[in-house]
Amino acid sequence: MKYFLRIFVSILVLSFIAGCDNMPPGKDNIDEKADQLLEQMTLEEKVGQMTQITLLEITKERENDSDPLVIDEKKLEEVMAKYHIGSFFDNGGAANSIENWHEIITKIQDASKNNTRLNIPVMYGIDAIHGANYTLGATIFPQSIALAATRNRDLVRKGAEITAAETRASGIPWNFNPVLGMGRNPYWPRFFETFGEDVYLTSELGREYIEGSQNSSLGKEYSVAACMKHFLGYSFPLNGKDRTPALIPDRTLREIFLPPYEEAVKAGVMTVMLNSSEINGIPVHSDYNILTVLLKKKMDFRGLVVSDWQDIIRLHTRDRVADTPEEAVRMAVMAGVDMSMVPNNYSFFEILVKLVNDGVVPVERINDAVRRILRVKLETGLFENPYPDKDLLKMFATEESEQINLEAARETITLLKNRDEILPLNKKNKVLVTGPTADKLMVLNGGWTITWQGNREDLYPAEKKTVLEAIQDKIGKSNVIFSKGTDFNKEINISSTVRKASGADYIIVCLGESPYCETPGNINDLTLEAPQIKLVNELKKTGKPVITVLLEGRPRVLKSAAENSDAIIMGYLPGLEGGRAIADVIFGDYNPSGILPFSYPKHPAGFTCYDYKPIESYEQNQYEPLFPLGHGLSYTEFEYSGLTLSDTVFTGKGLLSVSVNVKNRGIREGKTAVELYITDIYGSVSRPVKQLKRFEKISLKSGEEKEVKFTVNKEDLKFIGRKSSWITEPGEFIIEIKGLKKKFTFKSEK
Ligand code: BGC
Ligand code: BGC
């Protein structure tokens, strides 16, 4: 009886849900609904949807940026009535409390409801780059560059799910992340926002991030629209400075820079943000070939294209490809931009309405843009639930999320050097802790944390642990001597720090970078500042073992400090649990398993990516990084053996199977990332010396052995030939896993 009752209730509930307006419409209905709305909209309403404005435009001035933000209701109502704004964004100066966010979003949706005709919800956007970093108390993850070191797809996806859940719990349905440009120029100050220098790694982790954001396993109500950015080529400025030109030949663009975006589009990414700068002489915001021909037509991207900050007007004011503001708007909209991050005036609106009325911009282009915007609003369920949902707060900053964050931070940590296996340290030792990154939380997090630049230490949650505090917790305060030694670029007390070393068994020197974001992070020299290098070198003279911890968003050249460090721990920007994770690694409570997602350069001008061309390592030229991509040590020893291919001849039909045995020969449990590389020995176009094609993170107990299997297909062998199209060529290839190599011959069947 009970059983039948349950079925009856389930049927009731199901039919209620089916008939309920509270569910986002299915994919098929979305186009229809968007079109129905579009038919009712005036030109002004349409252009309003295409306009994105910063939060500070509609808030009251406040004395202190830590005071809650208050919406200027009168101004907001006027703006909504006059411009029908489709989107607001940004944090208003610093992270807001979740209650403050709820108030802000509620007032915005109220204003939209009460002052516009069609009741189209506003879509709020935010940079939740490594967690919901603009909501106070959120779970703040390692930055992408650090996550890439884990080679752990699952962790990246879980991190994205938690970020999405906490963003949505804040009332925000749109996240301007992930960055799918690759970090192939370590000078670039946004290097830390990338997944490193490899195209396959970036494609894989980008897809995980997008799926975790948009299709969270926690449920649709916890999902947000992701935004792949910055399309295309932004990450590779020739001179290493942010927002400067990239010169990328067509072949490199298609083989290296485009695939992560193609993978993201296949994964259904809903939005894209553009490269603020220019490639090959053309500002991307004005490039019809890139935006419409390539992205919208060839790649079949159906989502919305948003500009970056002020980048439409900058076609006039900065790039001077448009001789008037009107021409800038015309160029960008006709190139394919759907929404303008204006963001602090209404010029875009005024100009675009006029351009359409004058017949300069056809209304079809406007309709296409608005259709794309409405689709995202429909897909994210905004029409059903435009308001913050208090029920979602239960998933905000949970203990479980903190635990996953700690796991993620631990798995990012990359042990670069461990002379005579001095690490892990015994907890009975006395240590001297020193250096500019030892006792700050901001250095674990970098830009996009609480504030844009991430450098307001006073706003960080005091209960989180710096490296110093985590070490003190681990071995007791009385076993830790602390002396600052030097600031980032200014000596403080190096000689007294050296004297204090006599009381310690080991020296832990924490070096790295002060937080930065975007253009303010530009540097003229990749070398770590001299006082930091000097600190290591002076301490080394004491004869005590020196353990160097690096907290930095890009690989800073270490010069003599590399040789003078007995151990080097790369922490990247490991997030708010990073201090604990580093202490866990130093004292052996966690066995490190991170591996570099980029080549760590030895010289400031010597950087070459691992997938270099033969000519880059020939005669006097050498690929000689300090540490190569994929490098990372463990406290246990993994033995690789028995690399086997299913055939020595591959016809391109079906798959070539590859297997390898990995055994943990040490006494500790550990994780290792198994990476498969392919080398095309001869090609009609010079081929990279090797390319990463597969990876898998595995965990092995002491003595345990596992067979790891991969499959390779014809697609993995393709490249752009001399006639500028994708081809495969018959010939010999090498499969390589951890130094083991096997050849196969590729003979394409006609
Ligand atoms: C950055 C973007 C960011 C946007 C909104 C721009 O300056 O380049 O990455 O999403 O600001 O904050
Ligand atoms: C915003 C950034 C933006 C920058 C541009 C900051 O206030 O938070 O997203 O890129 O201003 O100047």
Side-chain angles (χ1 to χ4, degrees), residues 98 101-102 105 109 124 165-174 382 386-389 392:
I98 205 155
W101 272 125
H102 281 200
I105 306 290
Q109 301 296 19
Y124 203 94
E166 296 190 6
T167 302
R168 199 76 197 224
S170 310
I172 300 175
W174 186 13
L382 266 188
Y387 289 98
D389 180 351
L392 304 185

Side-chain angles (χ1 to χ4, degrees), residues 89 127 176 190 229-230 243 273 308-309 341 518:
F89 78 112
D127 294 282
F176 302 144
R190 306 192 71 170
K229 69 186 189 183
H230 309 76
R243 291 180 160 82
M273 191 186 294
D308 201 345
W309 185 281
M341 188 185 283
E518 300 185 40

